[in-house]
Amino acid sequence: MNTQKPRILVVDDEPDIRSLVCEILEDEGYQVYTAENANTARDHKKSKIPHLILLDIWMPDTDGITLLKEWVAEDPLLCPVVMMSGHGSVETAVEATRLGAYDFLEKPLSLAKLLLIIERALEASNLQIENAGLKQQLVADIEPVGKSAAVARTKDHLKRLAQHDARILFTGEAGVGKEMYARYLHNNSPHRDGPFIDVAVGSISPENSAVEFFGKEDGGRVHVGLLERAHKGTLFLGEIGDMDKETQSRLLSALESSTFLRVGGSEAVHVDVRIIASTRIPLDEEIRLRRFRQDLYYLLNEVIIEIPPLRDHSEDVPGLLSFYVDYFVNQEKLSFRRFSMAAQNFLRNYSWRGNVRELKNLVQRLMILGVGEDIELAEVKAALGAVASDVVPSSSVPDFFNLPLKEARDHFEKAYLEYHFEKTGGSVAKLSAAVGMERTHLYRKLHSLNIKV
């Protein structure tokens, strides 16, 4: 059982208030730290990691509202902050809560109200952390689905490899589920209680890669990078073939020594991280063309695991369809639907160029847009559109031809971009080049069409 006392940081420039609040809270069993100004508060927040902060608005160096803005911007998981002010106004209280403060207390403080608000804030925070943990656990517990020999063999192999710290490189076509197999490896390893940090390296620009991987120190503030976030856990580098040469060099150096400097920092940071990587691109060809460093390749592929395409174990298709129906019912509260036997047989013989990812997207689309409990063959063919000809020739025009021009254009753009997104393996950089659209505009377009990156 966790008996650790909650840590509370009291930030106020008045010594009498600090002393009084500290004494009362310690009597109530809390662990209390105090700060007389914003600079000390920043240091204590970073080093003591409080569970709750009592923050005065009027201070000599930086006011509490500015400090709250700063903390909210740099820390999405900020602990509850209760604002205090001797010159309170409704506008100030509204502004503080709008910015993210849990509550607002006027001075002179009502001690009964202070203790009640602290108790409620800590309870709410614990509940939020618990719910986030449960959601994460739901995602983490999902494992590769299938009873075929290919899936069973791969899972058995990974269970044995999980007990050793060898670096593993997953290979296979886009959409086969390399990340899911990496999570399965993590969940069966001694690192299972640590974090699993998943990063699509192709989405990190060369100029930001040092900060993304190593973090930075700026004016006494520390921004933690991916390697530190994955400490005592696993860092999964998705599609390393998309990594630029500059990032490759930086990562190689950090992995060889397990230490690095944050950008702007002078003290070496040591991490204990298991590195797992994946690629859909044959890296030996990339090495020959000098687009990928040979020494980094050898560092990352102590063991290579190839994940087969879905068409090579099509007997798992009915099980996958059933699994993703249940998944969307439970996770997104969509209405239950079932695939008819004719639809399942058709999909068993479908080519699945986008593999498991394509299957998951199809199930989601049919559950969102379809009506009725049964998913019949005609509906599946209509949802697949032109690509259904991979199995059966289709002469019908697409459904969106019957829509007004603007809606038809949106449907076409969405289908067009999703097709190229699958083809380029989910790399925005390669999608940008393939469709001839500048990356910033492309991000906006993907967002407007609700295409998840």
Side-chain angles (χ1 to χ4, degrees):
M1 185 176 171
N2 185 9
T3 57
Q4 185 189 40
K5 294 178 182 179
R7 296 182 297 277
I8 297 178
L9 173 60
V10 181
V11 186
D12 199 304
D13 64 332
E14 297 178 56
D16 292 347
I17 295 219
R18 289 200 308 275
S19 175
L20 174 66
V21 173
C22 180
E23 192 177 319
I24 290 162
L25 295 183
E26 283 180 342
D27 284 346
E28 291 294 319
Y30 297 112
Q31 195 173 348
V32 186
Y33 302 95
T34 61
E36 71 279 4
N37 56 40
N39 271 338
T40 310
R42 288 186 185 104
D43 291 342
H44 281 355
K45 179 184 173 291
K46 188 168 66 176
S47 59
K48 312 300 184 192
I49 314 176
H51 297 102
L52 181 140
I53 299 171
L54 293 170
L55 178 59
D56 188 31
I57 286 182
W58 304 108
M59 290 188 294
D61 52 351
T62 303
D63 67 272
I65 293 286
T66 302
L67 195 56
L68 176 65
K69 278 184 188 173
E70 178 187 303
W71 283 342
V72 167
E74 73 183 21
D75 186 358
L77 300 175
L78 181 65
C79 67
V81 178
V82 177
M83 307 300 290
M84 306 182 294
S85 174
H87 315 281
S89 69
V90 174
E91 290 80 10
T92 312
V94 168
E95 172 71 358
T97 49
R98 186 184 67 77
L99 287 169
Y102 177 80
D103 212 329
F104 184 91
L105 284 168
E106 284 187 274
K107 295 177 184 175
L109 297 172
S110 157
L111 299 181
K113 189 175 181 184
L114 171 69
L115 294 174
L116 182 63
I117 284 175
I118 287 174
E119 192 179 334
R120 284 180 178 168
L122 289 171
E123 279 177 9
S125 177
N126 287 337
L127 190 61
Q128 195 175 355
I129 291 165
E130 214 171 280
N131 287 342
L134 286 170
K135 282 180 183 173
Q136 184 59 38
Q137 194 58 39
L138 283 169
V139 174
D141 284 346
I142 294 172
E143 61 177 63
V145 177
K147 295 180 179 177
S148 64
V151 171
R153 189 167 53 244
T154 304
K155 285 168 71 172
D156 183 58
H157 196 178
L158 289 175
K159 268 186 181 176
R160 284 182 279 121
L161 283 169
Q163 307 314 309
H164 308 282
D165 268 345
R167 293 196 180 105
I168 292 172
L169 177 65
F170 287 95
T171 63
E173 294 177 9
V176 291
K178 297 186 285 289
E179 183 208 335
M180 190 175 280
Y181 280 98
R183 280 187 185 274
Y184 182 76
L185 178 78
H186 169 80
N187 292 341
N188 285 279
S189 77
H191 291 272
R192 68 177 69 86
D193 294 327
F196 179 91
I197 304 297
D198 166 26
V199 53
V201 293
S203 66
I204 298 175
S205 62
E207 58 272 20
N208 291 332
S209 63
V211 172
E212 288 279 350
F213 278 104
F214 311 133
K216 71 174 179 177
E217 295 179 25
D218 180 19
R221 282 179 283 163
V222 173
H223 302 266
V224 176
L226 291 163
L227 283 163
E228 276 184 272
R229 282 173 54 203
H231 182 56
K232 296 292 183 186
T234 301
L235 178 63
F236 175 63
L237 304 173
E239 300 302 344
I240 56 169
D242 297 333
M243 193 187 300
D244 64 273
K245 292 293 286 288
E246 202 174 323
T247 307
Q248 289 175 37
S249 300
R250 286 175 176 150
L251 192 59
L252 176 70
S253 172
L255 295 184
E256 282 179 330
S257 62
S258 293
T259 59
F260 55 87
L261 293 176
R262 300 188 192 102
V263 175
S266 56
E267 194 175 322
V269 179
H270 178 81
V271 287
D272 173 18
V273 177
R274 180 172 195 169
I275 304 292
I276 304 176
S278 75
T279 180
R280 69 188 184 286
I281 302 169
L283 289 180
D284 48 358
E285 179 64 11
E286 296 295 294
I287 291 167
R288 190 183 69 77
L289 296 169
R290 299 187 178 277
R291 289 199 291 245
F292 199 86
R293 291 186 63 125
Q294 190 171 36
D295 42 7
L296 180 60
Y297 173 69
Y298 288 134
L299 195 67
L300 291 172
N301 80 332
E302 290 174 342
V303 179
I304 292 181
I305 301 287
E306 183 168 3
I307 307 301
L310 183 53
R311 62 184 170 274
D312 286 0
H313 55 108
S314 58
E315 65 268 40
D316 286 325
V317 167
L320 283 161
L321 294 171
S322 174
F323 171 82
Y324 280 115
V325 165
D326 291 341
Y327 174 84
F328 289 119
V329 167
N330 294 323
Q331 294 294 303
E332 298 190 13
K333 309 303 177 196
L334 297 178
S335 299
F336 175 81
R337 304 193 75 197
R338 71 165 65 85
F339 285 82
S340 69
M341 194 56 67
Q344 290 185 50
N345 285 335
F346 174 82
L347 292 173
R348 275 192 66 161
N349 296 304
Y350 177 64
S351 65
W352 296 116
R353 291 180 186 176
N355 293 294
V356 177
R357 186 191 296 140
E358 184 185 1
L359 182 144
K360 180 183 177 183
N361 290 344
L362 174 69
V363 173
Q364 185 179 31
R365 197 155 62 241
L366 289 165
M367 290 180 73
I368 291 172
L369 300 176
V371 179
E373 195 168 291
D374 291 323
I375 301 172
E376 300 293 353
L377 177 58
E379 188 182 352
V380 168
K381 287 183 178 180
L384 288 170
V387 290
S389 60
D390 281 2
V391 181
V392 180
S394 172
S395 58
S396 60
V397 298
D399 289 346
F400 64 78
F401 271 40
N402 300 313
L403 295 172
L405 179 60
K406 184 182 182 308
E407 289 177 48
R409 187 172 61 231
D410 287 346
H411 274 260
F412 167 74
E413 286 183 346
K414 191 170 194 300
Y416 172 80
L417 289 171
E418 281 178 340
Y419 166 77
H420 282 286
F421 209 31
E422 291 286 349
K423 201 172 175 186
T424 55
S427 164
V428 176
K430 293 199 171 181
L431 178 63
S432 171
V435 303
M437 184 181 282
E438 195 270 324
R439 207 184 297 191
T440 306
H441 297 313
L442 181 57
Y443 271 113
R444 287 200 200 102
K445 176 62 72 176
L446 293 172
H447 180 70
S448 71
L449 295 171
N450 200 25
I451 297 173
K452 291 180 181 174
V453 178

